[in-house]
Amino acid sequence: QVQLVESGGGLVQAGGSLRLACAASGRTFSSRAMGWFRQAPGKEREFVAAISWSGGNRIYADSVKGRFTISRDNAKNTVYLQMNSLKPEDTAVYYCAVNEVSGGIATMWEYEYDYWGQGTQVTVSS
């Protein structure tokens, strides 16, 4: 049974940092791209960042570019999201996901992601 478990969320002041982790179990995803998405209250879920199977290609939403960094450790079947210079508008539930259809290429298209975690809450106070 495939399972993705996010951790590392919490409450932080504006300007602070958090590091999210997403551990996968049930099978290896070393050949798959992985991504982070988020959903703020009353809003649609949106793309945040994605990383290719090797980690060689990373893409980001414009709203987080320069502040967030996605990385992965295939030996640990884990993907990370380092979030710096956090803003109140970053407040959301953050989800990690696995892209089963892109052949390991990082993409921003939510419909390509098949496995999802349960989410971790990030709250940024002003």
Side-chain angles (χ1 to χ4, degrees):
Q1 180 180 353
V2 173
Q3 192 172 18
L4 301 176
V5 179
E6 300 97 337
S7 61
L11 173 64
V12 64
Q13 287 188 330
S17 299
L18 284 175
R19 188 192 194 208
L20 305 184
C22 172
S25 61
R27 52 168 282 197
T28 180
F29 292 110
S30 58
S31 64
R32 298 288 186 260
M34 297 185 74
W36 286 95
F37 294 76
R38 68 186 182 186
Q39 187 168 21
K43 295 188 176 181
E44 297 287 318
R45 188 158 58 186
E46 64 176 3
F47 169 76
V48 176
I51 187 167
S52 63
W53 70 275
S54 66
N57 186 41
R58 310 174 195 199
I59 57 174
Y60 298 92
D62 287 344
S63 59
V64 306
K65 206 171 291 184
R67 300 187 299 121
F68 290 11
T69 302
I70 188 171
S71 62
R72 68 188 296 163
D73 184 337
N74 284 340
K76 295 182 178 180
N77 226 17
T78 300
V79 64
Y80 304 96
L81 186 68
Q82 177 67 44
M83 306 186 295
N84 298 329
S85 302
L86 282 161
K87 305 175 181 180
E89 50 264 44
D90 294 318
T91 295
V93 177
Y94 283 72
Y95 300 89
C96 69
V98 178
N99 188 323
E100 286 283 0
V101 302
S102 70
I105 299 172
T107 74
M108 62 181 290
W109 312 113
E110 184 176 336
Y111 65 85
E112 292 188 347
Y113 289 79
D114 294 288
Y115 297 108
W116 293 82
Q118 82 290 347
T120 185
Q121 176 70 47
V122 171
T123 303
V124 185
S125 63
S126 57

